Amino acid sequence: MPTPSGRADPFNPWVEAQKGTAVYQYASWLGLALFLPLARLSLQRAVLKRFAKRCLAPVPVHPGQKLSNRQQLESKFCESLWKGLVYGTTFLIGIYAVYDEPWFTDTSFFWKDWPHQHFSQKLLFLYKAYFASYASGLLMLVFWDTHRSDFWAMLMHHVATVCLVAMSYYSGFLRVGSMIMLLHDPSDVILEVTKMLNYAEWEQTSTVMFAVFMASWFLTRLVYFPFWIVWSTSFEVEHVLGFKPDMYMLFNGLLLMLVVLHIYWFAIICNIALQKVLEGKDVADVREAEN
């Protein structure tokens, strides 16, 4: 099959081997994705709501005063707690899957021996867990979670992520895919912890955590991701392989979309930081202003 560069793409045994079973692999991924909202509902009723009530500051209720604001705060706290647990779990799985692999420190190993690479069961499990977390997250974003002003940007991010996971699995780009997953989770975990601290009115601790979050976002998503990962998928891949693999343009197009979204969200992060420094406002999610 010719590639965008006009050169013949060598036979990919991984792709050919998966063509007969890919539908079953994806079905198991979707099954787990559909299970996670049920798990969240059960966990929220049994544990998350009780934990939220213990952590949130008590709100005095006057006769006739509605409890809608308190209930909304508890709902947001449970949402952040669930997301933090999911992101933390996938991050730990990712560390376990790649910490001892050569591509963990050398991006050229993303492409060496492709398409004749072999993948461990722990790496395949990482893919299953990550796909399920984002596919279920996409459903919950639309039908369950609090809608914020960046809803459409978040929707684009989730759709792009699900497409990238499925595409990189099908094409045998699991090495680079696993590192992309690993880069995104740390700042997400810190963000959800920061939001919970803010909801609980732990102002000083939430401010410190916000600074840590801001630094982690900048380093992982605006430095390492574009200048190491996207550079490797755009230029190093052809240098190592001698040709551009199939889906080169689509794969990099989706990655560049993520870079643009990261810049957009970092602008929001900087806006929050400026409000804190210049106006002394509490660290708060400005995306919720319209709710």
Side-chain angles (χ1 to χ4, degrees):
M1 181 181 296
T3 65
S5 63
R7 300 177 180 176
D9 196 355
F11 177 77
N12 189 330
W14 173 257
V15 174
E16 298 301 323
Q18 292 301 310
K19 280 182 178 178
T21 61
V23 63
Y24 303 108
Q25 295 284 350
Y26 293 138
S28 70
W29 291 9
L30 288 172
L32 181 57
L34 293 175
F35 167 77
L36 286 179
L38 298 177
R40 175 179 173 180
L41 181 62
S42 300
L43 191 62
Q44 182 160 315
R45 289 177 175 177
V47 179
L48 302 187
K49 275 194 173 182
R50 295 179 183 179
F51 186 75
K53 290 179 184 294
R54 286 180 175 272
C55 292
L56 296 175
V59 178
V61 180
H62 303 289
Q65 182 178 351
K66 294 183 179 180
L67 296 175
S68 58
N69 292 340
R70 172 70 177 194
Q71 292 170 347
Q72 187 180 49
L73 192 63
E74 290 178 2
S75 176
K76 290 178 180 179
F77 190 96
C78 291
E79 177 185 327
S80 289
L81 182 54
W82 167 260
K83 289 180 179 179
L85 290 172
V86 171
Y87 294 140
T89 300
T90 53
F91 177 68
L92 292 176
I93 295 172
I95 288 291
Y96 173 69
V98 305
Y99 78 95
D100 57 348
E101 299 289 356
W103 67 85
F104 187 64
T105 55
D106 186 346
T107 58
S108 66
F109 279 93
F110 291 160
W111 317 109
K112 287 182 179 178
D113 301 323
W114 189 91
H116 307 286
Q117 296 172 348
H118 298 281
F119 308 107
S120 65
Q121 287 299 314
K122 58 185 181 180
L123 188 59
L124 299 180
F125 181 72
L126 169 64
Y127 258 73
K128 183 175 183 177
Y130 208 85
F131 178 89
S133 69
Y134 268 91
S136 64
L138 181 59
L139 293 174
M140 289 185 278
L141 173 68
V142 176
F143 299 108
W144 189 338
D145 294 341
T146 302
H147 283 196
R148 298 173 171 87
S149 61
D150 65 339
F151 170 79
W152 291 107
M154 188 67 72
L155 185 67
M156 289 173 56
H157 175 270
H158 278 53
V159 170
T161 300
V162 170
C163 290
L164 281 167
V165 172
M167 186 190 312
S168 61
Y169 177 85
Y170 182 80
S171 301
F173 298 156
L174 279 75
R175 292 181 176 181
V176 64
S178 64
M179 286 303 299
I180 294 172
M181 297 172 188
L182 198 60
L183 280 177
H184 282 71
D185 282 335
S187 56
D188 283 333
V189 174
I190 300 171
L191 171 62
E192 300 306 333
V193 171
T194 303
K195 289 164 70 173
M196 286 188 287
L197 291 170
N198 181 62
Y199 296 148
E201 299 183 5
W202 289 24
E203 182 181 346
Q204 292 184 343
T205 309
S206 66
T207 300
V208 172
M209 286 301 298
F210 179 78
V212 175
F213 161 69
M214 189 174 184
S216 69
W217 184 285
F218 179 77
L219 292 174
T220 57
R221 302 197 184 205
L222 296 183
V223 177
Y224 193 84
F225 179 64
F227 294 108
W228 272 264
I229 302 296
V230 178
W231 174 84
S232 181
T233 61
S234 300
F235 304 105
E236 190 175 38
V237 56
E238 189 173 11
H239 174 74
V240 174
L241 296 178
F243 61 92
K244 296 177 181 177
D246 281 349
M247 298 190 180
Y248 170 87
M249 297 297 293
L250 180 58
F251 191 72
N252 280 294
L254 290 172
L255 292 180
L256 290 174
M257 180 191 297
L258 292 185
V259 172
V260 172
L261 289 172
H262 293 166
I263 295 172
Y264 164 71
W265 278 312
F266 192 68
I268 295 177
I269 295 168
C270 291
N271 182 28
I272 297 173
L274 285 174
Q275 289 182 4
K276 176 65 178 177
V277 173
L278 299 180
E279 303 176 22
K281 292 184 177 181
D282 293 343
V283 171
D285 193 342
V286 296
R287 300 172 303 158
E288 298 177 359
E290 66 183 36
N291 289 333

